[in-house]
Amino acid sequence: MSEMGLFFAILGVAFASLFPGIGSAIGVGIAGQAAAGVTTDDPTKFGKALVLQLLPGTQGIYGLLIAFLTMTNIGLMGEQVELSLLKGLAYMGACLPIAFVGLISAIYQAKASVASINLFSKRPDQFGKSLIFPAMVETYAILALLISMLALFSIPGMNI
């Protein structure tokens, strides 16, 4: 096992877990402030506000999933595999889509969630529609998750 290959693969694991986790923490905090304000005025809106607050937290989960899959693939969770420098770089590269899209989309999803919280606080009958706005941002986090997963699953078969 190349030590540099392992280093870059673990760096990818760190990116996949760190950046989306930071974005989710920021996002859940931003949306939580708006949710708390609405709940202060009308405690019956807590459940719906909570749903909108939690949406930016999914990116952290996606990043953790990619980190776990990468650790499993490189043998940190069991039997170690041969890891060349190029494979280590490939693993790091596979982690980058969810790392960066997760960071940024969680923050922007929080902004959409705040707007949606404000919408349903004034028009409670519009909760279903308000949920669509942050869900649209989620689409891009899911796409990044899929690209990272497809890349991860293709690396073991590479002859590098």
Side-chain angles (χ1 to χ4, degrees):
M1 180 181 291
S2 165
E3 291 172 356
M4 290 305 293
L6 182 60
F7 169 79
F8 283 112
I10 291 174
L11 189 59
V13 168
F15 286 167
S17 57
L18 180 69
F19 293 137
I22 290 169
S24 286
I26 292 168
V28 169
I30 290 169
Q33 292 172 15
V38 167
T39 304
T40 299
D41 290 340
D42 185 355
T44 64
K45 294 180 179 164
F46 172 78
K48 291 180 178 177
L50 183 64
V51 169
L52 289 166
Q53 181 203 0
L54 293 176
L55 281 174
T58 57
Q59 285 84 338
I61 296 168
Y62 301 157
L64 186 62
L65 174 63
I66 293 301
F68 178 76
L69 289 172
T70 304
M71 290 171 62
T72 301
N73 281 359
I74 65 175
L76 292 180
M77 306 289 285
E79 186 178 330
Q80 294 215 330
V81 297
E82 241 350 90
L83 199 60
S84 67
L85 174 60
L86 288 176
K87 270 197 178 177
L89 287 168
Y91 279 113
M92 185 180 79
C95 291
L96 293 180
I98 194 57
F100 290 107
V101 175
L103 169 67
I104 294 168
S105 69
I107 295 167
Y108 280 95
Q109 188 173 40
K111 293 177 180 188
S113 288
V114 167
S116 294
I117 289 167
N118 290 331
L119 168 63
F120 99 84
S121 73
K122 293 180 175 85
R123 307 266 320 260
D125 60 313
Q126 299 298 309
F127 177 73
K129 290 179 184 174
S130 72
L131 196 57
I132 292 171
F133 300 121
M136 293 305 295
V137 182
E138 184 81 16
T139 302
Y140 296 95
I142 292 170
L143 292 174
L145 171 66
L146 290 174
I147 290 299
S148 286
M149 287 179 75
L150 290 171
L152 276 178
F153 294 145
S154 69
I155 293 169
M158 291 180 173
N159 195 13
I160 54 175

